[in-house]
Amino acid sequence: MGATDKRDLRTGRSLWADSHGLGVPVKPLTEAVACDVAIVGAGISGAFMARELSRDHAVVVLDRRPPLMGSTIASTAMLQWEIDLPLTALSERIGPRDANRAYRRSKAAVEALKRIVHREGIRCGIKDKATLYLAGDEYGSRALDAEAEARAALGLDSVYLKPAELRERFGLDRTGAILSQGSASADPARLAAGLLRRAAGDGARIFSPVEVCEAASDPRGVTLLTDVGHAVRTRHVIFCCGYEFPKGVPTPGAEVISTWALATHERTPCLAWLKDTLVWEASDPYLYFRMGGDGRLIVGGEDEASPTAHTSEAKRRAKCETISRKLKQLLPELEFEVDYSWAGAFGESATGLPSIGPVPAMDHAWAVMGFGGNGITYSVIASEVVSAAIRGESDPDADLYVS
């Protein structure tokens, strides 16, 4: 019995599984080890955490899978600062002050992510992108007009486009849209691998496959018992397990759902503006897409409120047909063939914000659960919040992410 829930996190073959440069220095756990910080999970959240902490602490990373092979490799890696809930809607849920803080922190996290990638020379195809948020059945033109105004008042670079301007600039027939600046895209597997290699270069030890079966805390730290018979003794433990939630950690208002994605063949002929723009809809379920550096379109959506629907091969085929049809309806002149299709588990919260905080009834333990469509952005925030706490400091926005 493990310390976290077990899920089949993805099916199909992700585009990123065939990326180059995914090597990570991994070793088996052959003896008991001690460290300052143990990170459970070698996906994108664990990678950012390890990179942040390994410069000043002795870090151990543990995963029951090979690194990157959980939810990370199923990501579409639209590195947005926009949160699933619009600023106006989030303000109604948690109050304007906290909603403003959440949006500003999300924007700052995307900027921090870009700095990390460029400063450390991580080759992951990162590219600055604008985002185009199209009016849909959940939020129409009036709501998006008000949303753009609210964002602009915060200093976030967003403008509302009326239907005529949207057609003229993008050839899209919708009742309106928000055009925002400051997001990005990347290869999530290469990003995570690069971060883990940087952490290993600073002394982090990455063990796989190792499952943490039990965690017991005491006044001085935490002992992790593993399935290979060797314990890990640590001063702090951080569970970065994606959508395999640590047992005993409350997740109020959160649920695991299923989502689907596909990628076209390389060099798919596309409109020029798609090279620099992420697109998503204010609909439920919503369509989202972007172009990769090799000319592929990466498209996702059709989320379903089921934690297991993504495991069905028949449903994956049907969902990808629906996604293709919706893309064709939006861009009728687009000709494409599907090269990859995959599905995965995905976490949602009532606010679109992640859960980052201490594990109840366990001293020296933290849990990071990146709910919402900004998983990689939230991984950056989690590394900042938790590393500050471990240094004995306080992050000014930590309270936003406590369940």
Side-chain angles (χ1 to χ4, degrees), residues 136-343:
D137 60 23
E138 195 165 28
Y139 297 100
S141 57
R142 290 183 183 178
L144 263 58
D145 193 1
E147 173 70 9
E149 186 176 338
R151 292 182 187 180
L154 273 186
L156 302 174
D157 193 346
S158 299
V159 295
Y160 177 72
L161 303 181
K162 294 180 180 179
E165 189 174 8
L166 182 60
R167 283 193 297 271
E168 180 182 350
R169 294 182 61 177
F170 298 99
L172 298 175
D173 187 19
R174 286 293 175 93
T175 59
I178 298 175
L179 180 63
S180 299
Q181 307 296 325
S183 290
S185 64
D187 178 326
R190 290 170 62 198
L191 173 58
L195 291 165
L196 287 170
R197 288 195 296 269
R198 299 300 184 276
D202 285 330
R205 292 171 288 171
I206 304 166
F207 297 104
S208 170
V210 179
E211 181 174 357
V212 176
C213 300
E214 189 176 342
S217 67
D218 58 61
R220 291 191 167 190
V222 181
T223 300
L224 304 177
L225 303 181
T226 72
D227 64 338
V228 295
H230 304 293
V232 176
R233 178 63 182 174
T234 181
R235 292 172 57 199
H236 309 274
V237 62
I238 309 165
F239 292 97
C240 297
C241 306
Y243 308 125
E244 294 179 303
F245 303 151
K247 293 175 180 176
V249 176
T251 54
E255 61 179 343
V256 174
I257 65 172
S258 294
T259 190
W260 288 265
L262 60 85
T264 69
H265 283 280
E266 293 179 316
R267 295 180 292 280
T268 295
C270 283
L271 300 165
W273 60 264
L274 267 174
K275 296 178 181 179
D276 303 306
T277 311
L278 314 174
V279 184
W280 60 314
E281 294 182 302
S283 295
D284 185 17
Y286 67 88
L287 181 76
Y288 57 93
F289 55 95
R290 69 176 180 89
M291 181 178 280
D294 57 2
R296 297 180 192 270
L297 270 179
I298 301 157
V299 195
E302 286 304 295
D303 297 359
E304 186 172 313
S306 164
T308 58
H310 68 279
T311 62
S312 165
E313 290 292 334
K315 182 156 282 191
R316 178 169 60 85
R317 289 191 294 270
K319 290 285 189 177
C320 287
E321 287 176 4
T322 301
I323 290 170
S324 296
R325 186 178 68 252
K326 287 187 172 182
L327 181 63
K328 188 72 175 175
Q329 289 171 347
L330 188 63
L331 297 170
E333 71 279 22
L334 184 65
E335 298 291 338
F336 63 92
E337 292 182 359
V338 176
D339 195 16
Y340 291 82
S341 65
W342 66 95

